[in-house]
Amino acid sequence: MIVAEQKPLEEIRRMITPYNRVLILGCGTCMTVCDAGGEREVSFLHNALRLAQVKSGTGNHTFSEYTLKRQCDTEFLDLLAGRTYDLDAILSLGCGIGVQTIAERFPGLPALPGVNTSFMGVTKESGVWDERCAACGDCRLEETAGICPITRCTKGILNGPCAGTKNGKCEANQDMDCAWILIYKRLEQLQQLEKMRRYYPLRNFGTIPRPKRIVSKAVTAIGVNDG
Amino acid sequence: MDSAITDNNQGYQVDRTEKPSLNHSLMPPCQVACPLHMEIREYIDLVAQGRTMEALQVIRSGNPFPSICAYVCTHPCEDACRRSQIDKPIAIRASKRFALEFGGDRMIQAEAETTQQERVAIVGSGPAGMACAHYLRKLGYPVAIFEAHSELGGMLRVGIPQYRLPREVLDTEVQRLTQMGVEIMTNTRVVSLDLLFDMGYKAIFVTIGAHQSLRMGIEGEQSTGVIDGATFLREVNLGLKPSLGEKVAVVGGGNVAIDAARTALRLGADRVNVLYRRSRAEMPADHTEVEQALEEGVEIMFLVTPTRIERRNGRLSVTCIRMELGDADDSGRRQPIPVENSEFDEEFDTLIAAIGQVPQTPGDFRVGIGRGSTIEVDPVTLTTNRPGVFAGGDAVTGPATVVHALAAGKLAASRIDDYLRHRYPLTREETRGNLTGDLLPETVDMIRKVGRLEPPVLSPEARAVDFKPVELVYDWETATNEARRCLRCGVGAEILFQDKCATCLTCLRVCHYHVPYLDASGTIQIPVDQCQACGICVAECPAKAITLRKPYDRRHITEELDHIFKSAAESKLETLIIGFCCQYGLFGTGTLASLWRGAKAGVWVVPVLCMAKVEGDHLLRAFEMGAEGVFIAGCGEQCARENTEFWVRQRVEKVRKTLAQIGLEPERLQAFVPGAVDEDPAGELDKFVEKVGGFYLASLVTQEVKS
């Protein structure tokens, strides 16, 4: 799941300053799960912005709110088509993907990001999320016992642990587990410790071309949706 | 359609904002068990908030004579109460009595209008007859009751002792029947139904009760000094004082036997022995009644039955035999078997035989008689073999309870209505499902144990001397605390908007009772039979997909806020402080109840049913509307719920952070959770009000400077 964090209220208020009629648009998938932009957060932000306006005495905004099932597909955004004529901007509580999809679908309307899209991760417990995947495009989890050194090691090294590990913790953060110690322990449990002896050549992240595209259909029409 | 009766039942809507279509609540086990299907959960909840008048309204809408039930109901609801899986059932009957006494039941007036022509005769004025008369009058029929005794009430009058049902209570209900225009003919024994038809009655309801005592079938039963239970109680209740002598034996183990024994004690008998052929476990008498009888000094000899009575020198020599328990019989109780050569003699002055009663229907009624001399009726239409003749109550069921009789009378009224209006008898359509099933052990483990609070009773010494009512009524605090134990079965959370649910598992993670679970197909389920309706998942759901099955809280709070805003604007107060206060605790009936409706200058209370239902949105809205300070106050340690404080503090912290970003002092928002007894909630609140006042002044000064 994509994990994000709502932007500070000041930043959001600054962003919306030029626009009077703002739609706060929530996303019913990842952003709901990570408590950043589901229907409840949309409503909370709506109330907070109104309160801020009342208390500061500045601004002349009118807000509306709506939550789509997903912002990252234009078909869902089509549901908004009839509602945009009286809008000056859409404040999206979707991830960066959502904001861009809105921008594409409604070319004449500013799309503002209400959250900072942070990482891909898991819910550790209610209200706590941890990063798990860097979307590097070259998955080595088979070799590292299902624990990703790219995201979970502070240095992201492929041949760990480094000398900074102490009692299973990382030198950069005493509360954080050393990913390579975790990998070692799990390989031991799986009786695959020989994998620790292998040397993994350095990866050149610079060679991975951006933006990426995946095409799973067998026949593609050339020239459509290019770019 | 049984319009009036159905309306009567469902017409109650205390909460005007509630749309019935959104009410997905299930019928709780207590309501299912109640023959009258009273809205028990609703009135218990109102009692828990101290809203006795509304509770009374709910009670009155489901029961024609609740004041009688409040004293003598055998409360099948309590037997079905799921709280007994945790500790003990809710004291429903005693709570009802509290609501009646403190809600002003004495002031209730009854009225009815005659809209129909067909006259209906009711033979017998027991609870079934009275209930039938009540509902027929409500339906607009002219009704006449024929009663053989000098006063109305049937077994309520001649069977139940006064210490259990004070006669003023019965008289009041009879008075209301008269007010409704029921024609009452006492001292009138009906011997023939034909005569009634000749007199112009179009339908007859036969409810003559079961007054004929069964005989023991032993030698010497006819001796002087032997009397049957029903006759004994009737004589006492009609004002006679039979002389019993010093030592009295009562044979039997039912309610009549216990009533007779306790009555004998009150008439001055020195020793009263109950002889019962089985053991305590099989005794059909009400458990509390038995306890109270023992306290008063009644002795019960278990596994003993008389076999012969002989009158000797002005006393009775009773030969008894000891019994042992064999296998279970058809009724599920273990069958008593005489122990050989265990006979013994015991001397008594009087022997009261209370081993059961049967109806005695005059032959001229020409109605079909079935097993146990009861009148045979169709279970759906309540019709006998004669057209226009209906029957119900003990006369049909054999000796049963008051509430069963009331239900029979109510049903009869609607069936007689069907008959007179030439309608096919409709069985009532119940749109709600029943809540069934036990609580799972893991749910039970998480529910706070709160012992049952019994209503006070007179001391055994004080009560055994006369016929004053034994049971007293709760005080406010005890009643509300007892009612707060209710588990609110059937109003739990449901995922109302499945399409919104992101299956984020928040509900599963926040539930203290471990109720939500992920089913095999990966969908979140919140089983209604386990949910404790605390409302935490409702507020925490990031998709707002969950509601309680009676979802009025959210809207209720918003409406209440609007109302306060208007009132506060009119009163032009300088500082406005809004408190979201739990109505179950201090702010409902406790020390801060007076705060309700702005009794403290500037402080306005939004009543909430548990502070867990206050969401961040509500708090922000209160500030937006102009509140200088906002607080949430819970009921503290008396709370029947777990974990609410944690979640409230979470929400408060979140809103405080937002306030700080807006430039408001976070201290303007406070959560009070009165805990320890020595803490003074009023003092805490005063401090808060003072502080907020300070912020207000400071902001005024800043504005001055700016301008």
Side-chain angles (χ1 to χ4, degrees):
Chain A
M1 165 194 55
I2 295 169
V3 181
E5 190 174 23
Q6 219 175 82
K7 283 179 178 285
L9 201 63
E10 292 99 329
E11 191 182 338
I12 292 178
R13 292 192 62 208
R14 191 173 42 72
M15 250 186 324
I16 61 170
T17 314
Y19 312 107
N20 280 343
R21 298 166 299 178
V22 179
L23 170 68
I24 307 170
L25 188 62
C27 180
T29 320
C30 307
M31 293 305 108
T32 298
V33 179
C34 73
D35 273 4
E39 190 169 325
R40 191 193 61 202
E41 288 311 306
V42 168
S43 161
F44 189 86
L45 180 63
H46 184 173
N47 278 300
L49 286 172
R50 277 210 321 256
L51 174 60
Q53 181 163 302
V54 168
K55 289 294 165 188
S56 68
T58 57
N60 188 23
H61 303 290
T62 48
F63 299 101
S64 50
E65 57 176 272
Y66 199 73
T67 303
L68 290 172
K69 195 155 204 147
R70 225 164 57 222
Q71 292 185 10
C72 51
D73 277 306
T74 45
E75 285 85 345
F76 287 110
L77 290 171
D78 288 345
L79 299 174
L80 287 179
R83 297 166 169 254
T84 53
Y85 64 93
D86 58 350
L87 287 181
D88 296 327
I90 295 179
L91 174 64
S92 165
L93 293 189
C95 64
I97 309 163
V99 179
Q100 296 185 58
T101 318
I102 293 168
E104 269 172 49
R105 174 65 185 77
F106 303 111
L109 214 52
L112 313 171
V115 304
N116 289 324
T117 309
S118 309
F119 53 78
M120 283 173 278
V122 294
T123 312
K124 188 161 178 286
E125 58 190 70
S126 186
V128 181
W129 291 272
D130 278 345
E131 185 177 11
R132 282 292 180 270
C133 177
C136 66
D138 181 19
C139 194
R140 302 277 179 83
L141 284 170
E142 182 266 330
E143 290 153 355
T144 56
I147 294 163
C148 172
I150 312 275
T151 51
R152 299 180 69 180
C153 167
T154 316
K155 297 171 180 170
I157 54 178
L158 290 171
N159 295 285
C162 70
T165 179
K166 196 174 179 188
N167 299 326
K169 299 290 176 187
C170 176
E171 65 177 338
N173 185 346
Q174 289 292 306
D175 297 327
M176 205 164 73
D177 288 325
C178 169
W180 275 102
I181 297 295
L182 293 178
I183 292 169
Y184 182 94
K185 282 188 180 152
R186 197 161 141 72
L187 284 174
E188 190 177 36
Q189 197 184 354
L190 296 170
Q191 298 182 327
Q192 297 176 359
L193 266 181
E194 73 283 356
K195 287 185 180 169
M196 286 298 288
R197 296 211 175 87
R198 255 194 269 165
Y199 170 73
Y200 297 103
L202 291 179
R203 286 171 59 192
N204 182 357
F205 290 103
T207 63
I208 301 172
R210 282 229 143 95
K212 299 178 215 169
R213 168 175 285 178
I214 294 169
V215 180
S216 72
K217 50 185 169 187
V219 182
T220 49
I222 297 160
V224 176
N225 286 339
D226 238 4
Chain B
M1 309 224 181
D2 42 359
S3 54
I5 289 180
T6 316
D7 287 346
N8 215 359
N9 232 1
Q10 299 174 347
Y12 142 68
Q13 269 180 10
V14 167
D15 192 299
R16 276 154 284 127
T17 61
E18 181 190 340
K19 291 240 174 71
S21 58
L22 284 176
N23 186 347
H24 294 179
S25 65
L26 301 184
M27 231 200 222
C30 49
Q31 191 174 2
V32 175
C34 174
L36 286 167
H37 301 307
M38 291 181 72
E39 297 277 350
I40 295 164
R41 182 183 58 211
E42 315 307 330
Y43 74 72
I44 290 292
D45 196 55
L46 290 166
V47 168
Q49 301 168 46
R51 289 156 71 182
T52 46
M53 285 165 83
E54 284 145 296
L56 172 65
Q57 211 183 327
V58 177
I59 292 169
R60 277 264 159 212
S61 72
N63 187 327
F65 309 115
S67 60
I68 293 169
C69 283
Y71 279 90
V72 296
C73 190
T74 47
H75 48 74
C77 49
E78 291 184 29
D79 301 334
C81 177
R82 299 205 305 167
R83 179 100 214 176
S84 56
Q85 290 178 49
I86 297 140
D87 32 52
K88 280 195 165 150
I90 312 291
I92 297 170
R93 186 182 55 74
S95 300
K96 172 159 56 205
R97 182 161 164 212
F98 168 80
L100 291 166
E101 300 260 352
F102 286 82
D105 187 57
R106 275 158 230 264
M107 319 292 286
I108 299 271
Q109 302 285 321
E111 50 185 41
E113 220 178 298
T114 305
T115 54
Q116 309 284 9
Q117 318 251 290
E118 295 87 348
R119 292 158 71 210
V120 182
I122 295 173
V123 183
S125 71
M130 284 170 66
C132 186
H134 172 96
Y135 284 108
L136 282 173
R137 279 304 295 151
K138 288 256 172 204
L139 289 166
Y141 291 98
V143 177
I145 293 184
F146 295 85
E147 167 58 49
H149 292 116
S150 55
E151 280 172 291
L152 248 54
M155 272 299 179
L156 298 171
R157 178 82 59 185
V158 302
I160 293 173
Q162 300 204 17
Y163 63 87
R164 276 176 61 200
L165 177 64
R167 290 305 177 252
E168 310 87 84
V169 173
L170 181 55
D171 290 341
T172 311
E173 296 290 11
V174 169
Q175 179 61 33
R176 290 193 184 120
L177 276 187
T178 323
Q179 274 176 2
M180 291 173 82
V182 176
E183 205 182 330
I184 290 168
M185 270 161 297
T186 47
N187 293 318
T188 312
R189 187 175 287 278
V190 174
V191 286
S192 155
L193 300 182
D194 301 325
L195 206 58
L196 290 178
F197 282 123
D198 288 348
M199 287 163 74
Y201 292 103
K202 298 292 177 215
I204 300 171
F205 183 46
V206 179
T207 163
I208 53 172
H211 291 259
Q212 181 64 39
S213 284
L214 287 172
R215 292 162 53 99
M216 293 182 288
I218 59 173
E219 194 183 321
E221 200 177 343
Q222 309 292 344
S223 315
T224 315
V226 179
I227 183 171
D228 72 79
T231 308
F232 169 68
L233 288 174
R234 180 162 62 239
E235 286 186 357
V236 176
N237 281 320
L238 291 177
L240 298 176
K241 278 211 166 165
S243 68
L244 299 170
E246 288 169 2
K247 207 175 157 203
V248 176
V250 179
V251 183
N255 280 320
V256 174
I258 299 297
D259 283 349
R262 295 175 74 185
T263 300
L265 213 59
R266 283 163 172 77
L267 287 175
D270 285 343
R271 281 190 65 188
V272 177
N273 284 71
V274 172
L275 312 181
Y276 180 50
R277 59 191 184 139
R278 291 184 170 103
S279 72
R280 176 77 189 263
E282 290 82 21
M283 221 167 170
D286 183 82
H287 177 79
T288 321
E289 299 288 327
V290 178
E291 279 302 315
Q292 290 181 351
L294 290 171
E295 282 169 16
E296 287 163 13
V298 170
E299 290 166 44
I300 306 181
M301 297 163 79
F302 291 105
L303 296 163
V304 167
T305 198
T307 53
R308 198 159 57 88
I309 302 167
E310 201 180 327
R311 191 159 176 93
R312 240 186 262 148
N313 313 324
R315 301 195 80 193
L316 297 171
S317 171
V318 180
T319 309
C320 302
I321 190 164
R322 294 200 188 279
M323 315 289 270
E324 59 186 6
L325 292 177
D327 295 331
D329 64 1
D330 293 343
S331 74
R333 292 184 301 174
R334 293 176 68 190
Q335 198 62 34
I337 303 163
V339 179
E340 265 181 62
N341 303 322
S342 66
E343 285 94 346
F344 62 96
D345 286 352
E346 195 77 35
E347 294 254 307
F348 294 103
D349 294 302
T350 305
L351 184 140
I352 302 169
I355 56 163
Q357 287 130 255
V358 289
Q360 200 181 25
T361 313
D364 276 356
F365 279 17
R366 287 187 281 112
V367 289
I369 304 292
R371 205 167 161 237
S373 307
T374 56
I375 302 174
E376 277 184 330
V377 295
D378 182 294
V380 176
T381 59
L382 295 187
T383 45
T384 60
N385 56 334
R386 294 187 62 177
V389 177
F390 298 74
D394 283 4
V396 167
T397 57
T401 65
V402 173
V403 66
H404 279 99
L406 292 177
K410 181 177 180 178
L411 182 65
S414 103
R415 292 298 167 251
I416 290 171
D417 182 41
D418 288 337
Y419 167 77
L420 293 174
R421 298 268 72 78
H422 308 290
R423 273 189 310 240
Y424 189 79
L426 293 168
T427 43
R428 169 118 46 90
E429 255 182 64
E430 187 52 71
T431 45
R432 283 184 298 174
N434 293 350
L435 181 93
T436 50
D438 287 345
L439 292 165
L440 293 171
E442 51 265 43
T443 315
V444 170
D445 280 350
M446 302 311 291
I447 298 173
R448 183 177 283 184
K449 308 218 171 355
V450 189
R452 171 174 161 130
L453 302 162
E454 297 288 354
V457 288
L458 287 180
S459 72
E461 299 76 37
R463 70 197 188 214
V465 292
D466 57 21
F467 286 86
K468 276 207 291 286
V470 167
E471 195 185 277
L472 306 175
V473 68
Y474 279 131
D475 59 69
W476 280 88
E477 200 185 342
T478 322
T480 47
N481 281 340
E482 173 58 24
R484 285 165 74 184
R485 297 173 62 237
C486 177
L487 299 177
R488 297 162 186 88
C489 303
V491 290
E494 68 173 334
I495 301 179
L496 189 60
F497 310 102
Q498 270 297 349
D499 55 324
K500 280 193 196 174
C501 175
T503 324
C504 66
L505 310 184
T506 301
C507 49
L508 182 144
R509 290 183 180 119
V510 302
C511 181
H512 176 76
Y513 305 97
H514 309 313
V515 172
Y517 70 95
L518 208 53
D519 70 11
S521 66
T523 310
I524 273 282
Q525 302 289 347
I526 306 179
V528 63
D529 57 336
Q530 304 300 315
C531 180
Q532 297 301 303
C534 69
I536 289 175
C537 64
V538 176
E540 292 302 321
C541 175
K544 284 197 174 183
I546 307 178
T547 59
L548 289 182
R549 279 164 194 268
K550 270 185 79 184
Y552 51 79
D553 296 293
R554 227 176 229 158
R555 211 171 345 151
H556 175 73
I557 293 176
T558 319
E559 282 177 6
E560 205 55 61
L561 273 173
D562 288 342
H563 173 77
I564 287 175
F565 184 49
K566 278 186 208 127
S567 316
E570 280 163 22
S571 66
K572 297 191 185 70
L573 288 162
E574 292 195 329
T575 53
L576 169 64
I577 292 176
I578 293 178
F580 295 88
C581 302
C582 176
Q583 282 307 285
Y584 291 124
L586 296 170
F587 295 89
T589 53
T591 46
L592 295 180
S594 61
L595 276 184
W596 220 150
R597 296 288 179 211
K600 188 178 172 69
V603 177
W604 293 79
V605 167
V606 178
V608 292
L609 296 178
C610 186
M611 58 175 182
K613 292 181 180 136
V614 182
E615 298 171 28
D617 287 0
H618 298 133
L619 301 173
L620 288 175
R621 236 183 100 66
F623 280 109
E624 186 194 344
M625 284 171 14
E628 294 292 331
V630 175
F631 67 96
I632 303 183
C635 55
E637 279 185 345
Q638 315 153 41
C639 188
R641 302 250 173 266
E642 302 278 358
N643 239 14
T644 46
E645 189 184 340
F646 172 81
W647 289 105
V648 168
R649 296 215 182 273
Q650 292 282 327
R651 292 171 208 163
V652 165
E653 277 319 306
K654 183 176 170 188
V655 174
R656 281 179 152 198
K657 245 192 223 166
T658 309
L659 290 181
Q661 292 190 50
I662 291 170
L664 291 168
E665 296 81 356
E667 293 81 19
R668 287 173 186 266
L669 175 61
Q670 203 72 254
F672 295 117
V673 186
V677 188
D678 53 333
E679 253 177 54
D680 171 26
E684 293 280 309
L685 191 65
D686 283 341
K687 269 190 242 164
F688 175 68
V689 172
E690 208 173 296
K691 202 190 230 172
V692 171
F695 289 139
Y696 178 62
L697 285 178
S699 67
L700 280 185
V701 171
T702 334
Q703 275 177 16
E704 289 284 312
V705 172
K706 268 187 192 164
S707 59

